[in-house]
Amino acid sequence: MYGATVDPHVVPILVCPSCQRAGSFTLGRTVRCPCGVAVDATAGYLDLLATGTEPTATSSEQRLMESPVVARLYERVWRPTFVRVLAGRGAGASVGGFAGELFIHKGALALDHGAGPVLDLSCGPGLFTRALAAAAPGALVVGLDISRAMLEVAAQRARGYANVVLVRADAHKLPFTDGSFAGVNNAGALHAYDDAEQALREVHRVLRPGGVLVGSTFAQAPTLVGRVTARLAGIRRYDPGELRAQLARLGFAEYEELRLGGAFVFRARRP
Ligand SMILES: C[S@@+](CC[C@H](N)C(=O)[O-])C[C@H]1O[C@@H](n2cnc3c(N)ncnc32)[C@H](O)[C@@H]1O
């Protein structure tokens, strides 16, 4: 998706942020709802937050995620460095080895079987979005983030991926109909939300029955530097068993996790 081209498969699952109607948008250079809402698509993403109150970043980490410089450097420099500091060397599949991380996420989402649509929730500059889109070329992959800077970079890098649609929205209130997605990918973002439980409740709602959530987040920092950095950046870390219990409370089943140093990848299913 870039310029005015938006994969039409997204229309039936998209909810208008103003009138809350599903499937009401018509595509063009401007994406319009009959209620009067017009969403500009020319920047390469649908900004569904531009029609309401602008959210303000509450953590110092999130303020950095809004920076065009960080967004540009994120994939090559910021992400590998940050993961190494916060998760330690034991995060083997993550540190400098995106291929390993992708292998785990792709397998857990069963993308080899072409399952879709898939939501890459908090996609950042779209590292997973592009990789998931390439792994399942027949499936719609929606990359969603709250940061304009991240989405601008994601849009430039996802040129040529016809099955990618990028959306600016808030993870706490997803602009999709119930049961829209076969899979939700949520890499390295749970720790950044103001209310992770609300975001996971939304994930449960937008997954179809049998749909899978795959994510990664941080556990306890293995080093003092990691613990201090996490505290300064306002990063929340999960205690052992905490996420499993939270997801069970929200109605998820079949929880599994894989520890990678001070980080872990998890998978759960909406029954
Ligand atoms: C550490 S980055 C992870 C990016 C990507 N998933 C990856 O693994 O490369 C966290 C992302 O979460 C996004 N984010 C934070 N709060 C959000 C919210 N409330 N709704 C949607 N995205 C959010 C940030 O803008 C940022 O792009």
Side-chain angles (χ1 to χ4, degrees), residues 61-120:
E61 192 211 7
Q62 190 50 32
R63 278 192 288 281
L64 287 167
M65 296 292 138
E66 314 277 351
S67 148
V69 177
V70 172
R72 286 216 163 273
L73 295 176
Y74 180 81
E75 287 179 12
R76 278 170 174 255
V77 182
W78 186 275
R79 189 178 201 277
T81 309
F82 208 64
V83 171
R84 187 180 286 269
V85 170
L86 283 177
R89 287 180 182 279
S94 307
V95 177
F98 177 66
E101 215 180 327
L102 176 64
F103 180 78
I104 297 170
H105 283 244
K106 214 174 71 172
L109 284 165
L111 278 184
D112 294 337
H113 306 291
V118 175
L119 172 63
D120 187 17

Side-chain angles (χ1 to χ4, degrees), residues 45 123-124 143-145 147-155 166-168:
Y45 61 91
C123 61
L144 179 149
D145 207 280
S147 157
R148 281 199 177 90
M150 287 291 186
L151 287 167
E152 268 157 31
V153 177
L166 299 169
V167 172
R168 180 165 176 259

